[in-house]
Amino acid sequence: MNKTSNGHMENQRNENESSSEGIGCCGYILLFFSYFLIAITFPFSLCISLKVVREYERAVIFRLGRLLPGGAKGPGLFFVVPCVDSYTKVDLRTVTFDVPPQEILTKDSVTVAVDAVVYYKIQNATMAITNIENAQRSTQLLSATTLRNVLGTKTLGEILSDREHTAEVMKSNLDDTTEAWGVHVERVEVKDVRLPVQLQRAMAAEAEASREARAKVIAAEGEQKASRALKEAADVINESPSALQLRYLQTLNTISAEKNSTIIFPFPMEFMSYFGGGGPGAKGNSKM
């Protein structure tokens, strides 16, 4: 609000200075003859003297090269004096333009190409005509320079992750400069950040290695939990010999349910002692 009021005060001061200087004696003579010409050619002179500006336009009028007091005219009808007055129409609608991709060296020495979109509008038509030759062209060039200056102070990670803050800083910097031109920057958006192909491959390899490392950690944690569960199961089975036999029969049942034609039947080695030595007491009897 303060910036806007200061701009209006400066504009009013310029108009007062222009009106106080006057157009001079020759100017008044030319103005008198112009009004006389309008009078004798009335009503045909109205076709030349009456002008119309649309709702979103303003007309800045100069009389003999001097800005008329009262500011920009419009919207609607306004009157100009032929041969004396000249006017320029100014569009007050929001204008959008693309900032061309800028090659930027970041704070961590990475070269990236960044482009942006800028939305602005002219809020003071008089200042946009009298203070700057081409407000639109100047705003475009300033936006490209500001984009390079702002992003040059940030690292690659900050550019990729904090676009909103970058846009706010750009908008603030642009507003500080374009205030004197009667231009208000409404919004700035960073569109795209293009990285070099080699850097993209390096970042992809780094991300893949990070994912593989996390997968290995997860697999190791799973193996650790599984080994603990197996140890607990072995302790439970060790407490009851019949539990091992039940588990053995359950395994056979699972194998047979899968419609296999061949079933491997494990044979306990303890049974061989009965056939080879005649039972557990065979060795003792032979020594006798």
Side-chain angles (χ1 to χ4, degrees):
M1 184 65 69
N2 293 333
K3 293 181 179 180
T4 305
S5 60
N6 293 337
H8 287 300
M9 292 176 61
E10 183 180 355
N11 184 28
Q12 186 67 32
R13 184 169 60 253
N14 294 335
E15 291 177 357
N16 294 334
E17 292 176 356
S18 177
S19 60
S20 62
E21 293 177 359
I23 59 178
C25 180
C26 294
Y28 284 113
I29 294 175
L30 290 175
L31 185 61
F32 172 76
F33 279 108
S34 298
Y35 279 119
F36 179 74
L37 182 62
I38 292 174
I40 63 176
T41 58
F42 187 83
F44 302 103
S45 58
L46 295 179
C47 298
I48 302 175
S49 300
L50 291 181
K51 305 295 180 181
V52 179
V53 290
R54 299 179 179 88
E55 181 69 29
Y56 54 84
E57 293 178 333
R58 296 295 183 270
V60 180
I61 304 176
F62 294 90
R63 177 162 293 171
L64 295 176
R66 298 185 182 277
L67 181 66
L68 282 183
K73 307 298 182 182
L77 283 172
F78 66 95
F79 184 83
V80 295
V81 181
C83 305
V84 177
D85 292 347
S86 61
Y87 69 96
T88 303
K89 290 184 180 181
V90 179
D91 196 328
L92 302 184
R93 292 177 293 182
T94 299
V95 180
T96 306
F97 66 88
D98 292 327
V99 179
Q102 304 294 315
E103 293 288 340
I104 299 170
L105 183 64
T106 63
K107 190 176 180 180
D108 50 354
S109 301
V110 178
T111 302
V112 295
V114 184
D115 56 355
V117 181
V118 178
Y119 303 83
Y120 77 93
K121 66 183 299 183
I122 295 177
Q123 62 180 3
N124 191 314
T126 304
M127 296 175 66
I129 295 298
T130 58
N131 293 357
I132 189 74
E133 179 183 4
N134 191 331
Q136 181 175 4
R137 177 64 175 168
S138 300
T139 304
Q140 292 176 357
L141 295 176
L142 180 63
S143 300
T145 305
T146 304
L147 179 64
R148 289 195 299 267
N149 293 340
V150 171
L151 297 184
T153 61
K154 297 181 177 296
T155 62
L156 178 61
E158 293 174 346
I159 294 175
L160 295 176
S161 62
D162 199 7
R163 296 191 179 187
E164 293 182 359
H165 180 262
T166 302
E168 287 296 329
V169 174
M170 282 189 59
K171 178 181 179 300
S172 177
N173 293 345
L174 288 173
D175 259 342
D176 292 340
T177 304
T178 58
E179 176 192 358
W181 304 343
V183 175
H184 171 63
V185 179
E186 296 181 337
R187 189 179 182 87
V188 177
E189 291 291 341
V190 178
K191 285 178 59 179
D192 189 20
V193 179
R194 289 188 286 274
L195 305 176
V197 178
Q198 294 180 352
L199 182 58
Q200 293 180 12
R201 293 175 180 174
M203 294 178 66
E206 180 182 0
E208 184 178 359
S210 178
R211 288 193 297 267
E212 290 180 356
R214 287 196 298 268
K216 290 180 180 180
V217 170
I218 294 173
E221 291 177 354
E223 291 290 340
Q224 183 181 11
K225 293 179 180 179
S227 61
R228 289 178 180 175
L230 289 174
K231 180 179 179 300
E232 294 176 359
D235 294 338
V236 172
I237 293 175
N238 191 33
E239 294 176 358
S240 175
S242 59
L244 180 61
Q245 187 67 19
L246 292 175
R247 179 59 181 164
Y248 168 68
L249 295 176
Q250 183 182 6
T251 303
L252 292 179
N253 185 27
T254 303
I255 294 174
S256 62
E258 295 178 358
K259 300 180 180 180
N260 292 327
S261 58
T262 303
I263 298 177
I264 300 175
F265 190 90
F267 189 78
M269 295 300 296
E270 288 80 0
F271 291 165
M272 298 297 297
S273 60
Y274 291 95
F275 297 99
K283 287 186 178 180
N285 295 331
S286 62
K287 289 182 180 179
M288 292 293 293

